[in-house]
Amino acid sequence: MTSLSLSRYRAEWISTAAGARRDVLAGMVGTFALIPEVIAFSFVAGIDPEVGLFASFVIGIVIAIAGGRPAMISGAAGSVALVAAALVHAHGLQYLLAATLLAGLLQVAFGLLKLDVLMRFVSRSVRTGFVNALAILIFSAQLPQMIGVDWHTYAMIGLGLAIIYLAPRVTNIIPSPLICIVALTAVSIALPMPLRTIADLGRLPASLPQFGWPSVPLEWQTLTILAPYALAMAAVGLLESMMTASVVDDLTETTSSKARECSGLGLANIAAGLFGGIAGCGMVGQTVGNVRYGGRGRLSTLVAGVFLLVVMVPLRPWVAQVPVAALVAIMIMVSISTFSWGSLRDLVRHPKTSGAVMLATVAVTVTTHDLSAGVAVGVLLSGVFFAFKVTRLMEVTVSYDAETDTRDYRVAGQIFFASAEIFADRFDLADTARHVRIDLTQAHLWDVTAVGALEEVVTRMRRHGIAVEVVGLNAASAVLVDRHAQTMRVPAA
């Protein structure tokens, strides 16, 4: 690190005493938000809850040190669990641990190669759809805890929401979600009620994670089994982590190193696999909650991981008594604050294509419960709409000079694979004029498809005995023509 980057890294840990206090408290609240979702995702993957909890503990500590986005909470997430489920069902836990190691190595390579630049193809509409879909999924994930229960649960959820939203009017020293957890736990203990607790969600680990190498055969066949799953886990984890980092960038009005986040996540997943945990990634709901509670630095991420270990082992008997209603209230608040309510107004104000991309991202994500599928569809739609937009920006103007018997084609706009066919169709290949002049002064050739279209037009006209002259090529376009259409010796303008 340079002295400047080292100084910035130190500031990302502790800036002020007040900031450190907020990070600690926000990280503690983030831990309680992690527990129910990690346990639920563990069941999705077909593994014991302690495997997911161990992974979240290890990932939280490593990513706090090696990650590129301060205040971001990572752990065993649902998108990775969906990919892992098939592997666990077919080959068992040890193969999952080995796939976690391989996925981590792929993510480290992804970061070192700076492939995070691919995130530039994710438009703002896709990111908004991603956030809105996440908010809907967070809320829908709470519905099982609110169906088939008696009035006591609804009353406690209502009380929890009241504390969360009203407590900040009295004090901001302690995050209101933490007050909610303590208050509702005290009420449930003082006034016994038929309420579900964290202990009902799954078995909490009773020991520390242990280092160990996955017990799989070291042979080529093992690699062929692991590779497809590891690649999918790596891709899904990177996508969700980078999207989460972008969301935090927007919320905090700061920037972060996405390449470093990729490599940091890879190191975290390698460590998770070596300590008996499943691969993970950035968790948007918990991260947004951490930021909303005041978390801004790496300390909040570290506390979320360390406090998870404290919760899992020494405080296990007390944590087991926390009512699920308190966690449901917190996650409802997170879903409400996560949803971009302004995007509903933007559906009317912004171009219809932007609204369509956002709605498609939300629809696919909510339908499939797969954030990566929603983002993929959104990016694809954005590309299609962009291509249509660019093709409409290309124009060919035709004029004729009778004295010289010359047909003039003036081309303006961008010519590439999506507009090349339209470009070629604008020319009369059986023109009756003896001379044709193609003026590309206001045009640009982007790829070999565009060059091929131009070469085909010129070649066919010359076959009909027409003298064709191409003028106005800029330097970049001329280089492409020289390389890929050597029959056209056209100098740059």
Side-chain angles (χ1 to χ4, degrees):
M1 287 187 180
T2 64
S3 58
L4 180 61
S5 59
L6 182 60
S7 176
R8 179 178 177 178
Y9 182 76
R10 289 173 179 172
E12 289 173 348
W13 277 99
I14 298 178
S15 55
T16 63
R21 176 182 59 78
R22 288 194 300 269
D23 281 347
V24 170
L25 294 176
M28 292 171 64
V29 176
T31 297
F32 284 97
L34 271 173
I35 293 174
E37 290 207 27
V38 169
I39 291 176
F41 294 153
S42 298
F43 284 125
V44 170
I47 56 178
D48 291 332
E50 54 193 358
V51 176
L53 291 169
F54 282 153
S56 299
F57 158 65
V58 174
I59 291 172
I61 292 178
V62 175
I63 205 71
I65 299 171
R69 174 64 262 181
M72 187 164 138
I73 293 181
S74 300
S79 54
V80 177
L82 290 171
V83 176
L87 177 61
V88 174
H89 178 74
H91 301 282
L93 176 62
Q94 294 302 315
Y95 274 79
L96 173 61
L97 301 182
T100 297
L101 292 177
L102 182 56
L105 290 172
L106 292 173
Q107 289 169 336
V108 170
F110 191 98
L112 294 177
L113 294 174
K114 307 292 184 181
L115 297 181
D116 58 289
V117 295
L118 297 176
M119 274 296 293
R120 296 175 184 174
F121 294 97
V122 180
S123 67
R124 186 177 185 85
S125 298
V126 176
R127 289 164 57 183
T128 301
F130 173 86
V131 170
N132 288 346
L134 177 71
I136 294 172
L137 291 178
I138 291 174
F139 182 82
S140 62
Q142 314 312 312
L143 295 179
Q145 307 299 336
M146 296 187 287
I147 297 176
V149 297
D150 54 31
W151 67 270
H152 299 90
T153 300
Y154 294 111
M156 291 290 276
I157 293 174
L159 176 60
L161 289 170
I163 293 173
I164 289 172
Y165 285 106
L166 296 179
R169 299 185 179 184
V170 179
T171 178
N172 286 314
I173 297 177
I174 302 176
S176 60
L178 188 57
I179 298 175
C180 168
I181 291 172
V182 175
L184 266 61
T185 303
V187 171
S188 65
I189 293 175
L191 303 172
M193 291 176 282
L195 297 172
R196 296 191 70 192
T197 63
I198 287 183
D200 298 322
L201 296 178
R203 184 180 63 185
L204 295 174
S207 61
L208 299 177
Q210 298 181 348
F211 179 87
W213 189 261
S215 299
V216 296
L218 298 178
E219 55 189 25
W220 178 255
Q221 184 179 1
T222 302
L223 181 61
T224 60
I225 294 173
L226 296 177
Y229 294 100
L231 181 60
M233 291 164 65
V236 169
L238 287 172
L239 176 62
E240 193 160 348
S241 289
M242 288 191 288
M243 291 293 291
T244 303
S246 297
V247 170
V248 180
D249 289 349
D250 292 340
L251 289 175
T252 60
E253 298 182 351
T254 58
T255 60
S256 59
S257 172
K258 304 301 185 299
R260 184 174 179 181
E261 184 63 35
C262 295
S263 298
L265 178 63
L267 293 175
N269 282 330
I270 291 173
L274 293 175
F275 281 92
I278 184 177
C281 62
M283 303 183 73
V284 186
Q286 285 69 21
T287 298
V288 171
N290 182 46
V291 175
R292 299 291 188 195
Y293 309 148
R296 290 294 184 274
R298 296 178 180 272
L299 184 59
S300 64
T301 306
L302 180 66
V303 169
V306 173
F307 192 62
L308 180 61
L309 179 63
V310 174
V311 165
M312 286 192 300
V313 185
L315 298 182
R316 182 169 173 265
W318 290 273
V319 173
Q321 300 181 61
V322 174
V324 173
L327 304 180
V328 171
I330 292 174
M331 297 312 293
I332 289 176
M333 182 275 294
V334 170
S335 68
I336 293 173
S337 60
T338 300
F339 194 90
S340 177
W341 298 100
S343 63
L344 300 179
R345 181 185 65 251
D346 293 339
L347 287 175
V348 179
R349 299 170 51 192
H350 289 179
K352 293 181 179 180
T353 54
S354 297
V357 169
M358 190 272 285
L359 292 175
T361 303
V362 172
V364 173
T365 301
V366 172
T367 302
T368 63
H369 285 229
D370 187 344
L371 292 167
S372 61
V375 171
V377 170
V379 171
L380 179 61
L381 275 180
S382 296
V384 171
F385 289 147
F386 173 76
F388 276 117
K389 182 178 180 180
V390 172
T391 56
R392 290 197 301 268
L393 295 177
M394 191 202 68
E395 183 180 4
V396 178
T397 305
V398 184
S399 62
Y400 176 69
D401 185 353
E403 293 184 4
T404 60
D405 194 15
T406 301
R407 188 88 61 189
D408 224 345
Y409 292 88
R410 292 184 177 85
V411 185
Q414 312 303 313
I415 309 172
F416 63 116
F417 65 90
S419 61
E421 185 175 350
I422 299 175
F423 164 78
D425 290 341
R426 300 294 173 86
F427 293 87
D428 182 3
L429 301 182
D431 202 315
T432 56
R434 294 179 58 189
H435 302 90
V436 167
R437 185 172 181 269
I438 302 176
D439 188 349
L440 298 172
T441 304
Q442 299 180 17
H444 184 82
L445 305 180
W446 283 98
D447 53 22
V448 293
T449 305
V451 173
L454 176 61
E455 183 180 27
E456 183 177 1
V457 167
V458 173
T459 301
R460 289 188 177 184
M461 284 187 170
R462 285 176 177 171
R463 285 176 184 170
H464 286 82
I466 302 172
V468 182
E469 179 186 13
V470 179
V471 299
L473 277 173
N474 57 37
S477 299
V479 170
L480 278 177
V481 170
D482 287 341
R483 289 180 178 176
H484 305 289
Q486 297 181 359
T487 58
M488 296 173 52
R489 299 297 182 180
V490 183

